[in-house]
Amino acid sequence: MTTDTTDVLVVGGGPVGLFLGALLAARGTAVQVWERRTTEPVGSRAIGIHPPSLDAFAEVGLAGPVLEEAVLVRTGVARSRGRVLGALSFDRASDTHPYVATLDQHRTETLLRERLDAAAPHAFRTGTALVDLARHADHVDATGADRDGRTVSVRAAFVVGADGARSVVRDLLGIGTTGRDYPDRYVMGDFADPEDADARATALVDVGAGGVVESFPLPHGRRRYVALLAADDPLVDGSAPVTAADAPEAGRASRLAAVVRDRTGVAPDPSTCSMLSAFRVRRRTAERVGVGRVVLVGDAAHEISPIGGQGMNLGWLDAADLAPLLSDAVRTGATGPWPAYARRRQAAARRAGRQAEANMALGRAVPEAVGIGREALLRSALALPTAGALARLYAMAWA
């Protein structure tokens, strides 16, 4: 068996791992990215791209291609019981990108793959699963299995675990996680956009007493709806996403469309549903960001609620912070870890986690009288001069 060599091995070729690989390649750092999947990216999944991520994308020439395909959300509107409570403008949320972009995750991943391949041809290796890590003072030996079950190995100066919430890298390091599971249950689905023309590029949040319904415009005239449901609702039974290729069950699509109609007065057409997925919410934080020459990023290091759309962006910002440290370490022979980096990223994850919890609390089902009070509070908050600060908060201007 021949052992390959590289400066950095990134385990996990999702959005975060691909971006880290592209950043390293752009800096002239030799990189390999192992991804266990063998198929092309599919599904809309995570869709929100916040201004700090777009700023980071610019380093590898990715901001332009993303913005060419994305919908630019410049306003968020809060509604309840058919009435508008107030609006939040993102005009001052960022000096460079005064909006939040929305784009299907499979398109974002495809653009990232193309960017990595242009900077470092053959660096991206699909169908390769990590099996073992052997850490040494000046390198790490990684062993994997390819799609045919053959053993592959690489010797790297550093290894980065970007392999998600069920991180194999984290397990091999023996790093535990802390956190909690939440009772909240949600269902999301993509439909042809039924909103009025003046709302087609607007994020909408309905905070009625029955539970929140959020919606976000998507390219090609579609809209993502996310609804809080009771734990015993039939829609919550299955958590696996159903895509257009799988023909979403008409009953489940009709049920979500009915929930949206009953709470918002807007009726999506169930026959246009191209994705449907139920999900539960949990928060997990790795007890350490890494050990020696092995570092964790993204969901491998911190998993937060997807409500608010921060998780993928948090991982991208991990990568943007880590890439120059890794490149400098390869060049100078430094060993890591970097305590200041760990403190920054752990603090960012805590802040994003608290914000996600606040988002969930705002949308929980409540008695009617409490819901009316919540409406009044939200109406007042959106009318204050400080509403601009809320926009910056939701657009992750603090990141």
Side-chain angles (χ1 to χ4, degrees):
M1 179 181 64
T2 302
T3 299
D4 200 358
T5 60
T6 191
D7 293 332
V8 180
L9 170 65
V10 179
V11 180
V16 175
L18 288 168
F19 183 46
L20 178 58
L23 285 168
L24 291 169
R27 291 172 172 270
T29 303
V31 62
Q32 288 189 26
V33 179
W34 285 5
E35 168 54 45
R36 62 178 178 78
R37 293 174 298 173
T38 59
T39 56
E40 296 292 318
V42 294
S44 53
R45 302 179 68 188
I47 60 173
I49 306 175
H50 291 286
S53 297
L54 291 167
D55 289 337
F57 282 179
E59 185 173 339
V60 294
L62 186 63
V66 165
L67 293 175
E68 285 178 7
E69 297 192 28
V71 174
L72 306 186
V73 179
R74 299 180 182 276
T75 307
V77 174
R79 305 188 298 197
S80 183
R81 296 184 295 166
R83 293 177 293 189
V84 172
L85 303 178
L88 207 60
S89 171
F90 294 115
D91 285 350
R92 298 182 181 178
S94 166
D95 293 335
T96 53
H97 301 287
Y99 41 74
V100 174
T102 62
L103 183 63
D104 300 52
Q105 183 176 322
H106 74 89
R107 283 303 305 152
T108 305
E109 281 195 48
T110 297
L111 291 170
L112 283 162
R113 286 188 179 197
E114 292 172 354
R115 192 60 47 178
L116 175 60
D117 188 57
H122 313 301
F124 185 47
R125 183 165 185 164
T126 59
T128 306
L130 180 70
V131 175
D132 193 24
L133 289 173
R135 296 186 294 109
H136 304 277
D138 60 349
H139 68 274
V140 182
D141 290 323
T143 304
D146 68 12
R147 67 186 67 197
D148 297 317
R150 294 173 299 202
T151 299
V152 296
S153 63
V154 65
R155 176 164 292 182
F158 296 94
V159 172
V160 180
D163 51 344
R166 297 177 178 84
S167 172
V168 173
V169 174
R170 190 181 64 220
D171 289 345
L172 290 173
L173 293 176
I175 296 177
T177 63
T178 58
R180 57 171 293 195
D181 294 339
Y182 296 91
D184 308 79
R185 304 290 186 268
Y186 297 88
V187 173
M188 63 181 182
D190 298 345
F191 298 83
D193 195 340
E195 300 287 344
D196 294 337
D198 58 358
R200 290 286 167 85
T202 300
L204 303 170
V205 181
D206 194 290
V207 294
V212 72
V213 174
E214 299 180 345
S215 73
F216 310 92
L218 283 168
H220 310 300
R222 296 169 298 134
R223 179 166 287 267
R224 159 76 53 84
Y225 284 95
V226 183
L228 174 72
L229 296 177
D232 60 352
D233 192 288
L235 267 176
V236 181
D237 289 345
S239 59
V242 181
T243 65
D246 302 319
E249 305 99 312
R252 294 179 69 202
S254 295
R255 168 63 182 146
L256 177 55
V259 169
V260 173
R261 181 197 63 225
D262 293 345
R263 295 188 194 171
T264 72
V266 176
D269 180 354
S271 70
T272 67
C273 183
S274 57
M275 185 283 299
L276 194 68
S277 178
F279 63 94
R280 301 181 177 188
V281 178
R282 67 179 193 170
R283 181 176 177 180
R284 293 286 188 276
T285 303
E287 293 171 348
R288 301 177 67 179
V289 171
V291 179
R293 291 176 172 270
V294 186
V295 190
L296 304 175
V297 297
D299 284 353
H302 39 67
E303 183 183 4
I304 65 170
S305 166
I307 301 301
Q310 300 177 98
M312 184 168 62
N313 291 269
L314 195 60
W316 282 330
L317 297 174
D318 287 349
D321 197 341
L322 182 61
L325 298 176
L326 289 172
S327 293
D328 289 347
V330 167
R331 186 179 66 255
T332 64
T335 61
W338 303 279
Y341 165 82
R343 287 193 296 270
R344 287 194 301 271
R345 301 323 305 160
Q346 288 170 331
R350 285 193 297 270
R351 182 163 185 172
R354 289 193 297 267
Q355 184 174 322
E357 288 176 344
N359 293 340
M360 290 191 297
L362 183 64
R364 290 194 173 109
V366 294
E368 190 69 28
V370 176
I372 293 172
R374 182 166 66 188
E375 291 175 16
L377 180 63
L378 189 54
R379 186 182 292 110
S380 298
L382 293 175
L384 291 172
T386 53
L390 283 176
R392 291 180 62 83
L393 181 69
Y394 280 102
M396 296 181 71
W398 51 265

